[in-house]
Tab-separated table of all heavy atoms in Angstrom:
chain	number	residue	atom	x	y	z
M	1	CYS	N	-0.316	-213.109	-54.170
M	1	CYS	CA	0.446	-213.890	-55.159
M	1	CYS	C	1.434	-214.872	-54.489
M	1	CYS	O	1.611	-215.978	-54.946
M	1	CYS	CB	1.135	-212.983	-56.149
M	1	CYS	SG	-0.034	-212.129	-57.229
M	2	ALA	N	2.039	-214.393	-53.386
M	2	ALA	CA	2.949	-215.321	-52.659
M	2	ALA	C	2.211	-216.477	-52.124
M	2	ALA	O	2.695	-217.595	-52.193
M	2	ALA	CB	3.633	-214.521	-51.532
M	3	ASP	N	1.008	-216.230	-51.583
M	3	ASP	CA	0.184	-217.382	-51.100
M	3	ASP	C	-0.172	-218.322	-52.183
M	3	ASP	O	-0.233	-219.567	-51.945
M	3	ASP	CB	-1.105	-216.844	-50.488
M	3	ASP	CG	-0.993	-216.418	-49.042
M	3	ASP	OD1	0.142	-216.490	-48.512
M	3	ASP	OD2	-2.022	-216.004	-48.438
M	4	LEU	N	-0.364	-217.826	-53.384
M	4	LEU	CA	-0.714	-218.713	-54.548
M	4	LEU	C	0.544	-219.316	-55.205
M	4	LEU	O	0.375	-220.259	-55.981
M	4	LEU	CB	-1.446	-217.876	-55.628
M	4	LEU	CG	-2.943	-217.598	-55.388
M	4	LEU	CD1	-3.422	-216.635	-56.430
M	4	LEU	CD2	-3.740	-218.871	-55.306
M	5	GLY	N	1.688	-218.774	-54.991
M	5	GLY	CA	2.872	-219.243	-55.590
M	5	GLY	C	2.925	-218.810	-57.071
M	5	GLY	O	3.411	-219.614	-57.893
M	6	VAL	N	2.452	-217.676	-57.359
M	6	VAL	CA	2.448	-217.131	-58.747
M	6	VAL	C	3.138	-215.775	-58.811
M	6	VAL	O	3.149	-215.055	-57.824
M	6	VAL	CB	1.035	-217.048	-59.356
M	6	VAL	CG1	0.348	-218.395	-59.353
M	6	VAL	CG2	0.168	-216.016	-58.668
M	7	GLY	N	3.616	-215.467	-59.946
M	7	GLY	CA	4.273	-214.171	-60.131
M	7	GLY	C	3.240	-213.128	-60.478
M	7	GLY	O	2.085	-213.438	-60.771
M	8	TYR	N	3.604	-211.843	-60.340
M	8	TYR	CA	2.727	-210.753	-60.696
M	8	TYR	C	3.510	-209.594	-61.283
M	8	TYR	O	4.647	-209.438	-61.007
M	8	TYR	CB	1.843	-210.393	-59.608
M	8	TYR	CG	2.305	-209.258	-58.645
M	8	TYR	CD1	1.914	-207.970	-58.925
M	8	TYR	CD2	3.144	-209.499	-57.620
M	8	TYR	CE1	2.296	-206.924	-58.076
M	8	TYR	CE2	3.567	-208.471	-56.776
M	8	TYR	CZ	3.142	-207.202	-57.015
M	8	TYR	OH	3.560	-206.162	-56.255
M	9	GLN	N	2.803	-208.901	-62.155
M	9	GLN	CA	3.317	-207.664	-62.745
M	9	GLN	C	2.464	-206.569	-62.123
M	9	GLN	O	1.295	-206.430	-62.435
M	9	GLN	CB	3.188	-207.705	-64.271
M	9	GLN	CG	3.734	-206.486	-64.970
M	9	GLN	CD	5.259	-206.388	-64.796
M	9	GLN	OE1	5.947	-207.347	-64.918
M	9	GLN	NE2	5.693	-205.226	-64.477
M	10	GLY	N	3.053	-205.750	-61.307
M	10	GLY	CA	2.311	-204.658	-60.682
M	10	GLY	C	2.410	-203.360	-61.436
M	10	GLY	O	3.212	-203.270	-62.372
M	11	HIS	N	1.611	-202.405	-60.980
M	11	HIS	CA	1.575	-201.082	-61.629
M	11	HIS	C	1.518	-201.221	-63.150
M	11	HIS	O	2.251	-200.574	-63.877
M	11	HIS	CB	2.793	-200.189	-61.186
M	11	HIS	CG	2.880	-200.058	-59.727
M	11	HIS	ND1	2.022	-199.310	-59.000
M	11	HIS	CD2	3.762	-200.629	-58.841
M	11	HIS	CE1	2.390	-199.367	-57.705
M	11	HIS	NE2	3.400	-200.162	-57.607
M	12	ALA	N	0.625	-202.085	-63.607
M	12	ALA	CA	0.517	-202.472	-64.992
M	12	ALA	C	0.053	-201.314	-65.907
M	12	ALA	O	0.383	-201.309	-67.102
M	12	ALA	CB	-0.429	-203.639	-65.209
M	13	GLY	N	-0.644	-200.392	-65.366
M	13	GLY	CA	-1.121	-199.221	-66.169
M	13	GLY	C	-2.119	-199.512	-67.266
M	13	GLY	O	-2.280	-198.828	-68.217
M	14	LYS	N	-2.896	-200.676	-67.062
M	14	LYS	CA	-3.933	-200.972	-68.041
M	14	LYS	C	-4.922	-199.783	-68.155
M	14	LYS	O	-5.265	-199.246	-67.106
M	14	LYS	CB	-4.682	-202.250	-67.587
M	14	LYS	CG	-3.832	-203.464	-67.519
M	14	LYS	CD	-4.589	-204.659	-66.919
M	14	LYS	CE	-4.823	-204.486	-65.418
M	14	LYS	NZ	-5.465	-205.598	-64.762
M	15	PRO	N	-5.287	-199.377	-69.322
M	15	PRO	CA	-5.284	-200.083	-70.583
M	15	PRO	C	-3.997	-199.918	-71.399
M	15	PRO	O	-3.951	-200.451	-72.555
M	15	PRO	CB	-6.434	-199.385	-71.327
M	15	PRO	CG	-6.422	-198.030	-70.869
M	15	PRO	CD	-6.005	-198.106	-69.425
M	16	SER	N	-2.959	-199.367	-70.843
M	16	SER	CA	-1.652	-199.443	-71.518
M	16	SER	C	-1.261	-200.910	-71.655
M	16	SER	O	-1.645	-201.739	-70.882
M	16	SER	CB	-0.598	-198.687	-70.716
M	16	SER	OG	0.718	-199.010	-71.175
M	17	THR	N	-0.473	-201.208	-72.684
M	17	THR	CA	-0.060	-202.565	-72.910
M	17	THR	C	1.234	-202.949	-72.140
M	17	THR	O	1.634	-204.064	-72.138
M	17	THR	CB	0.129	-202.867	-74.412
M	17	THR	OG1	1.169	-202.014	-74.881
M	17	THR	CG2	-1.157	-202.648	-75.162
M	18	ARG	N	1.855	-201.965	-71.503
M	18	ARG	CA	3.217	-202.148	-70.952
M	18	ARG	C	3.222	-203.268	-69.885
M	18	ARG	O	4.194	-204.053	-69.864
M	18	ARG	CB	3.737	-200.888	-70.435
M	18	ARG	CG	3.176	-200.392	-69.155
M	18	ARG	CD	3.906	-199.120	-68.581
M	18	ARG	NE	3.373	-198.776	-67.339
M	18	ARG	CZ	2.548	-197.766	-67.155
M	18	ARG	NH1	2.189	-196.989	-68.133
M	18	ARG	NH2	2.025	-197.506	-65.917
M	19	GLY	N	2.217	-203.380	-69.070
M	19	GLY	CA	2.202	-204.416	-68.060
M	19	GLY	C	2.062	-205.798	-68.657
M	19	GLY	O	2.750	-206.773	-68.250
M	20	LEU	N	1.225	-205.971	-69.658
M	20	LEU	CA	1.054	-207.220	-70.312
M	20	LEU	C	2.320	-207.566	-71.059
M	20	LEU	O	2.754	-208.766	-71.006
M	20	LEU	CB	-0.120	-207.159	-71.284
M	20	LEU	CG	-1.528	-207.354	-70.707
M	20	LEU	CD1	-1.925	-206.165	-69.874
M	20	LEU	CD2	-2.554	-207.570	-71.814
M	21	GLU	N	2.916	-206.630	-71.757
M	21	GLU	CA	4.169	-206.901	-72.501
M	21	GLU	C	5.303	-207.293	-71.562
M	21	GLU	O	6.069	-208.188	-71.863
M	21	GLU	CB	4.555	-205.662	-73.287
M	21	GLU	CG	3.597	-205.442	-74.470
M	21	GLU	CD	3.697	-204.070	-75.127
M	21	GLU	OE1	4.369	-203.194	-74.591
M	21	GLU	OE2	3.038	-203.926	-76.177
M	22	ALA	N	5.386	-206.644	-70.381
M	22	ALA	CA	6.422	-206.938	-69.443
M	22	ALA	C	6.220	-208.393	-68.895
M	22	ALA	O	7.175	-209.137	-68.726
M	22	ALA	CB	6.434	-205.969	-68.263
M	23	ALA	N	4.937	-208.784	-68.628
M	23	ALA	CA	4.655	-210.123	-68.182
M	23	ALA	C	5.019	-211.175	-69.221
M	23	ALA	O	5.563	-212.216	-68.880
M	23	ALA	CB	3.212	-210.221	-67.763
M	24	MET	N	4.671	-210.850	-70.464
M	24	MET	CA	5.031	-211.805	-71.555
M	24	MET	C	6.550	-211.920	-71.649
M	24	MET	O	7.047	-213.069	-71.871
M	24	MET	CB	4.405	-211.376	-72.883
M	24	MET	CG	2.896	-211.561	-72.937
M	24	MET	SD	2.199	-211.192	-74.563
M	24	MET	CE	2.105	-209.365	-74.478
M	25	GLU	N	7.249	-210.849	-71.568
M	25	GLU	CA	8.707	-210.885	-71.633
M	25	GLU	C	9.304	-211.700	-70.467
M	25	GLU	O	10.194	-212.531	-70.676
M	25	GLU	CB	9.282	-209.473	-71.611
M	25	GLU	CG	10.765	-209.447	-71.838
M	25	GLU	CD	11.323	-207.998	-71.984
M	25	GLU	OE1	10.628	-207.137	-72.547
M	25	GLU	OE2	12.374	-207.762	-71.381
M	26	ARG	N	8.791	-211.521	-69.283
M	26	ARG	CA	9.248	-212.269	-68.078
M	26	ARG	C	9.040	-213.790	-68.259
M	26	ARG	O	9.847	-214.552	-67.725
M	26	ARG	CB	8.548	-211.775	-66.863
M	26	ARG	CG	9.050	-210.421	-66.393
M	26	ARG	CD	8.266	-209.863	-65.204
M	26	ARG	NE	8.284	-210.777	-64.066
M	26	ARG	CZ	7.503	-210.619	-63.000
M	26	ARG	NH1	6.610	-209.564	-62.940
M	26	ARG	NH2	7.562	-211.453	-62.025
M	27	THR	N	7.959	-214.175	-68.940
M	27	THR	CA	7.646	-215.574	-69.025
M	27	THR	C	8.086	-216.212	-70.288
M	27	THR	O	8.036	-217.438	-70.519
M	27	THR	CB	6.141	-215.833	-68.852
M	27	THR	OG1	5.477	-215.131	-69.952
M	27	THR	CG2	5.637	-215.382	-67.546
M	28	GLY	N	8.549	-215.387	-71.272
M	28	GLY	CA	9.010	-215.884	-72.594
M	28	GLY	C	7.883	-216.227	-73.528
M	28	GLY	O	8.056	-216.948	-74.503
M	29	ALA	N	6.682	-215.739	-73.219
M	29	ALA	CA	5.495	-216.050	-74.108
M	29	ALA	C	5.326	-214.938	-75.109
M	29	ALA	O	5.812	-213.804	-74.903
M	29	ALA	CB	4.275	-216.154	-73.226
M	30	ASP	N	4.673	-215.262	-76.206
M	30	ASP	CA	4.388	-214.227	-77.210
M	30	ASP	C	2.870	-214.009	-77.284
M	30	ASP	O	2.078	-214.655	-76.614
M	30	ASP	CB	4.908	-214.646	-78.591
M	30	ASP	CG	4.262	-215.917	-79.147
M	30	ASP	OD1	3.198	-216.366	-78.615
M	30	ASP	OD2	4.799	-216.486	-80.106
M	31	ARG	N	2.509	-212.949	-78.021
M	31	ARG	CA	1.104	-212.541	-78.070
M	31	ARG	C	0.155	-213.647	-78.528
M	31	ARG	O	-0.965	-213.785	-78.057
M	31	ARG	CB	0.940	-211.343	-78.995
M	31	ARG	CG	1.716	-210.165	-78.589
M	31	ARG	CD	1.684	-209.019	-79.683
M	31	ARG	NE	2.697	-208.039	-79.477
M	31	ARG	CZ	2.684	-207.118	-78.571
M	31	ARG	NH1	1.737	-207.120	-77.640
M	31	ARG	NH2	3.704	-206.242	-78.486
M	32	ALA	N	0.601	-214.386	-79.536
M	32	ALA	CA	-0.248	-215.431	-80.092
M	32	ALA	C	-0.589	-216.559	-79.129
M	32	ALA	O	-1.591	-217.261	-79.260
M	32	ALA	CB	0.429	-216.041	-81.299
M	33	HIS	N	0.172	-216.683	-78.038
M	33	HIS	CA	-0.032	-217.745	-77.067
M	33	HIS	C	-0.396	-217.215	-75.669
M	33	HIS	O	-0.268	-217.923	-74.694
M	33	HIS	CB	1.230	-218.630	-76.998
M	33	HIS	CG	1.572	-219.259	-78.291
M	33	HIS	ND1	2.469	-218.764	-79.186
M	33	HIS	CD2	1.024	-220.355	-78.918
M	33	HIS	CE1	2.535	-219.541	-80.257
M	33	HIS	NE2	1.629	-220.484	-80.126
M	34	THR	N	-0.929	-215.997	-75.669
M	34	THR	CA	-1.202	-215.362	-74.362
M	34	THR	C	-2.671	-214.892	-74.354
M	34	THR	O	-3.212	-214.461	-75.358
M	34	THR	CB	-0.277	-214.107	-74.158
M	34	THR	OG1	1.050	-214.523	-74.161
M	34	THR	CG2	-0.609	-213.408	-72.848
M	35	ALA	N	-3.269	-215.036	-73.185
M	35	ALA	CA	-4.657	-214.521	-72.931
M	35	ALA	C	-4.650	-213.633	-71.686
M	35	ALA	O	-3.819	-213.784	-70.785
M	35	ALA	CB	-5.638	-215.662	-72.763
M	36	MET	N	-5.593	-212.729	-71.671
M	36	MET	CA	-5.797	-211.814	-70.509
M	36	MET	C	-7.181	-212.032	-69.965
M	36	MET	O	-8.162	-211.896	-70.707
M	36	MET	CB	-5.571	-210.390	-70.903
M	36	MET	CG	-5.825	-209.329	-69.833
M	36	MET	SD	-4.649	-209.470	-68.466
M	36	MET	CE	-5.540	-208.633	-67.149
M	37	LEU	N	-7.293	-212.311	-68.653
M	37	LEU	CA	-8.597	-212.504	-68.028
M	37	LEU	C	-8.838	-211.308	-67.108
M	37	LEU	O	-7.982	-210.931	-66.319
M	37	LEU	CB	-8.518	-213.796	-67.123
M	37	LEU	CG	-9.801	-214.142	-66.345
M	37	LEU	CD1	-10.967	-214.497	-67.286
M	37	LEU	CD2	-9.490	-215.304	-65.423
M	38	GLY	N	-10.016	-210.703	-67.228
M	38	GLY	CA	-10.356	-209.558	-66.383
M	38	GLY	C	-11.839	-209.316	-66.316
M	38	GLY	O	-12.640	-209.929	-67.029
M	39	ASP	N	-12.180	-208.304	-65.570
M	39	ASP	CA	-13.648	-207.993	-65.352
M	39	ASP	C	-14.024	-206.650	-65.857
M	39	ASP	O	-15.202	-206.293	-65.849
M	39	ASP	CB	-13.983	-208.074	-63.832
M	39	ASP	CG	-13.359	-206.982	-63.036
M	39	ASP	OD1	-12.118	-206.850	-63.078
M	39	ASP	OD2	-14.084	-206.187	-62.375
M	40	LYS	N	-13.076	-205.849	-66.386
M	40	LYS	CA	-13.406	-204.481	-66.821
M	40	LYS	C	-13.026	-204.281	-68.280
M	40	LYS	O	-11.915	-204.596	-68.698
M	40	LYS	CB	-12.733	-203.453	-65.927
M	40	LYS	CG	-13.307	-203.414	-64.509
M	40	LYS	CD	-12.660	-202.369	-63.702
M	40	LYS	CE	-13.166	-202.400	-62.268
M	40	LYS	NZ	-12.906	-203.700	-61.605
M	41	LEU	N	-13.953	-203.654	-69.009
M	41	LEU	CA	-13.747	-203.356	-70.395
M	41	LEU	C	-12.634	-202.297	-70.557
M	41	LEU	O	-11.761	-202.403	-71.434
M	41	LEU	CB	-14.993	-202.882	-71.075
M	41	LEU	CG	-16.100	-203.943	-71.270
M	41	LEU	CD1	-17.367	-203.227	-71.824
M	41	LEU	CD2	-15.653	-205.048	-72.144
M	42	LEU	N	-12.761	-201.177	-69.852
M	42	LEU	CA	-11.901	-200.062	-70.085
M	42	LEU	C	-10.470	-200.185	-69.575
M	42	LEU	O	-9.602	-199.417	-69.890
M	42	LEU	CB	-12.468	-198.788	-69.343
M	42	LEU	CG	-13.803	-198.299	-69.933
M	42	LEU	CD1	-14.386	-197.168	-69.101
M	42	LEU	CD2	-13.598	-197.887	-71.356
M	43	THR	N	-10.176	-201.275	-68.853
M	43	THR	CA	-8.807	-201.551	-68.465
M	43	THR	C	-8.366	-202.896	-69.040
M	43	THR	O	-7.543	-202.943	-69.952
M	43	THR	CB	-8.655	-201.521	-66.963
M	43	THR	OG1	-9.556	-202.448	-66.346
M	43	THR	CG2	-8.827	-200.141	-66.368
């Protein structure tokens, strides 16, 4: 992430929502304006 110059939320605990919610809080975004990109259904 440092190489990319982007932030990250670690130990997200997916499929828990806590990591996604923490990231939205950090950026000031709400659910209606947020998307999650991933490769696994169960997480």
Side-chain angles (χ1 to χ4, degrees):
C1 291
D3 274 3
L4 282 174
V6 301
Y8 92 95
Q9 182 66 45
H11 304 288
K14 298 173 288 182
S16 167
T17 61
R18 73 174 184 258
L20 280 70
E21 290 165 351
M24 287 185 280
E25 187 175 319
R26 286 175 56 191
T27 60
D30 63 16
R31 297 173 198 289
H33 298 98
T34 301
M36 175 68 200
L37 179 66
D39 68 304
K40 291 183 185 60
L41 291 175
L42 293 175
T43 54

